[in-house]
Amino acid sequence: MHWVSTKKAKAVMLIPTLLVYIVFIIIPVLVAVYYSFTDYSGMGKAEFKGFDNYIRMFGDELFLIALRNTCIVLVCSLVFLLVGSFLTAMLMNRAFRGNAFFKMVVFAPYIIAPIIIGIIWGYIMNPQYGLINNILRNIGLDALAIEWIGGTKWSPLALAIVFTWQVMGFHATIFLSGIKTIPGDIYEACAMDGANVLQRLFYVTIPMLKETFIINIVLIITGVFKIYELVYQMTGGGPAHQSELLTSYMYFTVFSSRKYGYGMAIAVAILVLSITGSFAYIRITTKKKRRES
């Protein structure tokens, strides 16, 4: 079986994966980039328009609203998910009765289809007959029974909360894997030196999980830029597209308005923003790491 470890054999075995990646990832991206420079409407010939679609985005009020909402969801998701998944992972790392069941419950939402999650939370957060507002009204807190979804103010926050609930278990599992790699000898040495729980947390656990934090932040950024089903099922982008995110607005532009060229330009912008945000964070953190070393 020595031939398996040769460079030629490895290259041959990589060919099927590379072909699938090229056909289903690279080629569709290149096609989208091409159509983003045209006025293609799904029928007829695509006429080249240069950067007109990209210039148009800066004057498109609905695009700017979707961009603003996406930024709100991104910031809220980063805060909620980083703190929540890290604390959840710390709890999952402790030995207690029912730990396995707790892990299963935390991770379960991640394997549920997003469209189903949207249906569930749509009923929970509905302003008129939703579970949250009904409970608040029954206990006399009518002032807190706000318009969670379907309005112009709280919809991005509601989407961030649901997205956090959906992927919390996945990110907590990544944190848990990182925590498991920290040698127990370090904690024993800290205990012998008199370090308390908070000191061990801030001076040992968090610094040694820098790479894990980077992975989770990049995954959160890319995940937020892929949210569609939650918007479609919970708000439909309404009222009057005020709760759209970039992905849902792109879908509306392409399949409802049939502006394929402009929709592809939005899709390319989403891809660029996602890649730029991820690589910018990685670059900043790696620079800090080099300075510290």
Side-chain angles (χ1 to χ4, degrees), residues 187-218:
Y187 290 110
E188 292 177 4
C190 291
M192 291 178 64
D193 290 337
N196 57 36
V197 175
L198 290 178
Q199 288 173 330
R200 293 199 295 269
L201 176 65
F202 288 104
Y203 293 104
V204 176
T205 305
I206 293 178
M208 296 193 73
L209 290 177
K210 281 186 178 179
E211 299 296 331
T212 309
F213 272 98
I214 292 174
I215 293 171
N216 269 326
I217 288 174
V218 170

Side-chain angles (χ1 to χ4, degrees), residues 82 85 171 174-175 212-221:
L82 285 179
S85 59
H171 291 281
I174 295 176
F175 272 124
T212 309
F213 272 98
I214 292 174
I215 293 171
N216 269 326
I217 288 174
V218 170
L219 289 175
I220 292 170
I221 292 172

